[in-house]
Amino acid sequence: MVEYADYTFYTDTFHGSTIPEAAFSSVILRASVYVKYITFGRIEDTEIPEEVRLAACAVSEVMYKADAEGEQKEKKSETVGNVSVSYVTEQQDGQTREAAAAKKQYAAAYPYLIHTGLLYRGCR
């Protein structure tokens, strides 16, 4: 599997600063797999369009933030009598964490890939 962007592209072209260099290779690999999935494997490994690289960087930031938020959750409310704690989540009722994450990842990649034809689900 090819990583669609490197750390230099992430910092210089995408102007990202959220992901530290030590964690970047792991996150960009997962993001590249996701971008390949939503584009139905239409991206050739020899010439990767800049839009695909930008989409992979955007998705990698979403994935990194989700990983970091999983470690530290923000409290929404807390009751002391009979102990009740609620945490802030972006999930809707009945929605799995994975489905909520996939929705955010797709939303991050969409602006970069919409005009490339790579998100087209039909046959050509």
Side-chain angles (χ1 to χ4, degrees), residues 10-65:
Y10 172 71
T11 56
D12 295 346
T13 306
F14 186 74
H15 302 292
S17 60
T18 305
I19 307 170
E21 189 170 4
F24 186 77
S25 62
S26 169
V27 178
I28 196 66
L29 180 62
R30 292 187 298 141
S32 298
V33 168
Y34 180 76
V35 170
K36 187 171 186 172
Y37 165 73
I38 65 171
T39 58
F40 309 100
R42 293 187 185 127
I43 303 165
E44 296 193 23
D45 294 340
T46 54
E47 290 187 34
I48 302 167
E50 185 175 35
E51 292 88 353
V52 171
R53 293 177 188 272
L54 292 168
C57 288
V59 171
S60 67
E61 282 195 342
V62 170
M63 289 179 168
Y64 181 77
K65 287 177 185 175

Side-chain angles (χ1 to χ4, degrees), residues 3-124:
E3 295 176 356
Y4 290 147
D6 58 6
Y7 195 74
T8 304
F9 182 88
Y10 172 71
T11 56
D12 295 346
T13 306
F14 186 74
H15 302 292
S17 60
T18 305
I19 307 170
E21 189 170 4
F24 186 77
S25 62
S26 169
V27 178
I28 196 66
L29 180 62
R30 292 187 298 141
S32 298
V33 168
Y34 180 76
V35 170
K36 187 171 186 172
Y37 165 73
I38 65 171
T39 58
F40 309 100
R42 293 187 185 127
I43 303 165
E44 296 193 23
D45 294 340
T46 54
E47 290 187 34
I48 302 167
E50 185 175 35
E51 292 88 353
V52 171
R53 293 177 188 272
L54 292 168
C57 288
V59 171
S60 67
E61 282 195 342
V62 170
M63 289 179 168
Y64 181 77
K65 287 177 185 175
D67 292 345
E69 287 172 4
E71 295 171 6
Q72 55 182 359
K73 294 184 178 181
E74 181 182 348
K75 287 185 183 179
K76 183 173 166 181
S77 67
E78 182 174 0
T79 308
V80 177
N82 290 336
V83 186
S84 172
V85 177
S86 298
Y87 293 99
V88 175
T89 63
E90 295 178 346
Q91 299 169 219
Q92 297 174 354
D93 289 340
Q95 186 180 36
T96 64
R97 179 181 293 167
E98 292 79 16
K103 188 175 181 179
K104 286 182 71 174
Q105 292 164 8
Y106 189 84
Y110 184 84
Y112 300 104
L113 299 176
I114 186 60
H115 297 291
T116 62
L118 293 171
L119 295 178
Y120 179 65
R121 295 181 183 190
C123 299
R124 292 188 182 235

